[in-house]
Amino acid sequence: MSVLHTGMVLFLGLTLMTLKSTGDPGSAPKVEVQPFGTLSSGQKTDLYTLKNDKGMSVSITNYGATIVAIKVPDRTGKVEDITLGFDSAKEYEEGKAYFGATVGRYGNRIAHGTFMLDGKTYRLPKNNGDNTLHGGINGFNKKLWSVREIPSADGPALQCTYMSPDGEEGFPGTLTATVVFTLYQDKNELRIDYSATTDKPTVVNLTNHSYFDLAGQNHGSILGETLQLNATRFTPVDSALIPTGELREVKNTPFDFTHPVAIGKRIDAADEQLKFGQGYDHNWVLDKPKGGTRAALAAIAHDPTSGRVLEVLTTEPGVQFYTGNFLDGTVKGKGGYEYPRRSAFCLETQHFPDSPNHPNFPSTTLLPGNEFRSTTIFRFSVK
Ligand code: BGC
C-alpha cells in the first residue's frame, strides 16, 4: 500500500469515526425501547421514547399509538411530565378516558351510531348513550399498532401503522392508517402526521387525545391555566353533545377565547351549552388563513405558575376543547396519582363531530384512490 493510499484510508476512517461520535443521523439509535407490559390477549407491548437536545422527551406505546408521556422544562428548567396516563399497557386496555390515544376511525361522536354513504346506511356500535364515540367500542386506541423508527432530518421519528379491516366497528372499507410522531431535535415541538387510504368509500376523523396539565400531570386543577383559540365560531350541541348543525359566533359568550382567558373563569357560568358539556366539551371552528394548506396556529395554552406554554398548530378545520369534566378522581394514573375532575384539558384537532350527518360541515368522506392527510404540532416554550 502506498503512503498516499494509507493516508487516504486513515483519513476516511477518521472521518467516519468522527461522524459516528458526533451523532450523525443513523448512528446511535434515537429512539429508546422498553417493555410496557402484556395485554389480556398475551400480546406484549413496548414503550418508545424520543428525546431531543432541548430537554424534551415523548414516550409512545404501540398499544393505541398512545402518547404516554410528554416531558418538557418549565421556566426554571425543571422537566415534568405534562400529560395524564398510565404506567402500563394493561391499564390503558382497561381505561375509558382515551388518555393520549390515537383516536379513530372516527374521532368524536356520530349521532345514533348511524350514517349514510353512497345511498347505504351504516350502523355502528353505540358506546356513548345512543351515540358512537371515538370509533366505537374497540376503536383504534384499543389496537396494537406496528411501529418502526424512521429516518428524519428533523429528529427522532416513530411511524405507527394499523390496518382496520372492512366492517370493523361497522365502518366500510379496509382503512390503512399511519401516524408518524416526530420530535424536533433542536426545538421543543412534536409533530404528528396522519395519513390513511381505503379500498371502499368510508369516513375518517383521526386525532390525538392527550390530556394536558402544563403544571405537571399530578398538579390538580387546570382552571388557572389560560387558553386562547383562533376561532370566532363553535358548533353548539344538544344535550347528548351532538352538534345541532349551527356554526355560532362566540362573541359575548363563555366560548369566546379569541383573547387569552383563564379556563376556569366562565366554566360554571349559567349557560345551556356549558350545562350540556358539564363544562367545555365542544368543537371550535378554526379561523384559517386564506389559501393556507400548512398547519396553522389553533390554540395557545399557558400555565402562569410554571411558565409552560403549549401552542397547537393544525391543518384540521376544528378543535375539541374538553376540560376533563368526566374525570372524577377514581382513576389511578401515573405514579398512583388519582386524576380529579378538570385536572387536565384536551385540544383534539379534528373535523367536526357527526360530520357524516351534516352536509354543511367539511366532509370526512375518504374515497379509494385518495389519501387522507393531516398534521398537528404541539409546540412548547416558556413565558
Ligand atoms: C369527548 C368527551 C369525552 C372524552 C373522553 C372527548 O373527546 O368530547 O365527551 O368524555 O373525549 O372520552
Side-chain angles (χ1 to χ4, degrees), residues 96-98 108-109 133-134 209 211 241 281 320 322 326 348:
K96 294 191 170 41
Y98 301 85
N108 218 301
R109 292 173 173 81
L133 177 67
H134 294 332
H209 210 300
Y211 284 67
L241 299 184
D281 193 356
Q320 185 87 7
Y322 167 59
F326 303 118
E348 303 152 59

Side-chain angles (χ1 to χ4, degrees), residues 87-249:
D87 290 320
S88 73
K90 190 90 211 304
E91 292 162 282
Y92 282 95
E93 192 177 17
E94 287 154 11
K96 294 191 170 41
Y98 301 85
F99 289 143
T102 294
V103 174
R105 159 178 331 196
Y106 194 94
N108 218 301
R109 292 173 173 81
I110 295 183
H112 312 299
T114 181
F115 66 97
M116 268 182 80
L117 191 59
D118 269 354
K120 258 187 89 175
T121 300
Y122 292 93
R123 291 187 200 289
L124 316 170
K126 296 173 182 176
N127 59 338
N128 187 245
D130 191 41
N131 306 312
T132 301
L133 177 67
H134 294 332
I137 295 163
N138 283 303
F140 287 8
N141 60 308
K142 299 283 179 195
K143 305 293 176 184
L144 201 57
W145 293 57
S146 307
V147 166
R148 70 185 185 98
E149 184 182 346
I150 56 166
S152 163
D154 297 325
L158 197 71
Q159 183 188 64
C160 307
T161 308
Y162 174 65
M163 194 196 278
S164 170
D166 184 11
E168 186 175 60
E169 295 296 301
F171 291 100
T174 311
L175 189 86
T176 307
T178 301
V179 185
V180 178
F181 297 92
T182 307
L183 176 64
Y184 283 84
Q185 195 65 49
D186 57 354
K187 50 185 178 179
N188 284 345
E189 282 185 39
L190 173 68
R191 192 179 78 226
I192 311 176
D193 294 302
Y194 303 87
S195 56
T197 53
T198 183
D199 61 0
K200 280 186 193 164
T202 191
V203 293
V204 185
N205 198 17
L206 302 176
T207 191
N208 178 270
H209 210 300
S210 286
Y211 284 67
F212 297 100
D213 181 349
L214 297 178
Q217 65 101 25
N218 54 1
H219 278 242
S221 174
I222 42 91
L223 297 181
E225 299 178 22
T226 69
L227 180 72
Q228 181 172 9
L229 292 172
N230 189 12
T232 46
R233 291 170 300 167
F234 76 112
T235 51
V237 290
D238 66 15
S239 60
L241 299 184
I242 298 296
T244 59
E246 185 194 350
L247 308 185
R248 187 180 292 173
E249 296 286 329

Side-chain angles (χ1 to χ4, degrees), residues 29-41:
K30 292 171 164 183
V31 178
E32 290 166 16
V33 189
Q34 62 192 90
F36 200 51
T38 307
L39 301 170
S40 54
S41 61

Side-chain angles (χ1 to χ4, degrees), residues 34-39 45-48 59-61 63 66-69 71 81 83-95 99 217-218 331-339:
Q34 62 192 90
F36 200 51
T38 307
L39 301 170
T45 65
D46 286 309
L47 187 68
Y48 302 82
S59 299
I60 297 156
T61 173
Y63 184 68
T66 299
I67 296 179
V68 171
K71 296 181 182 170
D81 184 357
T83 59
L84 275 52
F86 297 114
D87 290 320
S88 73
K90 190 90 211 304
E91 292 162 282
Y92 282 95
E93 192 177 17
E94 287 154 11
F99 289 143
Q217 65 101 25
N218 54 1
V331 174
K332 241 195 194 88
K334 285 181 275 191
Y337 185 66
E338 290 167 345
Y339 300 123

